[in-house]
Amino acid sequence: MLYPMFFMVILTFIIGVITLAVRVNSVRSGQVKIKYYRAMQGQEVPDIVNRTSRCFSNMFEIPVLFYVAASLFLSLNIHSQTAIICAWLFVAFRCLQALVHLTYNNVLHRMLMFWGCVIAMLVMWVTLLVKAG
């Protein structure tokens, strides 16, 4: 369970670095005034700024449920092949969702990746409840 958690952390850092690079580039190129980033409002910004910012924010939404479930599996010393598979599926779907979001941003494809994450997370939580109970 530790390895999927580690990969999620790495994915979050990668998206964070991409977001930072896009923001710095947007200021350097003059597309966005630096004061925009104080409150994330006050001017229209390029689509890539919004997409990278939103993708980074997404890494702190549903993944919180993943981190809690994975931490519980570890701390309660519960072993489950189903949970491990679901954890890796969750990570894979998150990677794919981020890839779609940061590239061609097809809403249907992004939504399918999101629901893959949600289903993997639900199965992981149900497995946790069954094994812990």
Side-chain angles (χ1 to χ4, degrees):
M1 200 59 68
L2 191 58
Y3 292 114
M5 288 174 66
F6 176 73
F7 274 84
M8 277 302 298
V9 169
I10 294 300
L11 177 62
T12 301
F13 276 104
I14 289 169
I15 293 170
V17 168
I18 292 169
T19 302
L20 178 63
V22 165
R23 289 178 182 185
V24 167
N25 188 47
S26 73
V27 172
R28 282 189 179 157
S29 69
Q31 293 177 306
V32 179
K33 294 180 182 169
I34 197 164
K35 71 178 193 173
Y36 166 80
Y37 291 108
R38 287 185 191 150
M40 302 298 274
Q41 62 185 12
Q43 79 175 81
E44 290 292 318
V45 297
D47 180 56
I48 191 67
V49 170
N50 286 327
R51 279 190 295 144
T52 55
S53 296
R54 187 69 192 126
C55 188
F56 187 61
S57 293
N58 287 346
M59 298 308 293
F60 300 96
E61 294 171 355
I62 290 291
V64 169
L65 298 175
F66 168 76
Y67 290 123
V68 170
S71 295
L72 286 169
F73 273 101
L74 289 170
S75 65
L76 296 173
N77 202 27
I78 298 172
H79 302 282
S80 166
Q81 193 63 31
T82 301
I84 294 291
I85 291 168
C86 286
W88 281 115
L89 284 172
F90 181 84
V91 171
F93 279 121
R94 288 305 302 189
C95 287
L96 291 170
Q97 183 183 8
L99 183 65
V100 170
H101 204 170
L102 296 175
T103 57
Y104 66 100
N105 201 23
N106 180 291
V107 176
L108 178 60
H109 295 167
R110 213 172 77 218
M111 182 187 67
L112 290 172
M113 299 306 112
F114 171 79
W115 282 106
C117 293
V118 169
I119 291 167
M121 186 50 35
L122 180 61
V123 172
M124 200 169 154
W125 271 97
V126 168
T127 303
L128 177 62
L129 289 172
V130 168
K131 293 280 190 175

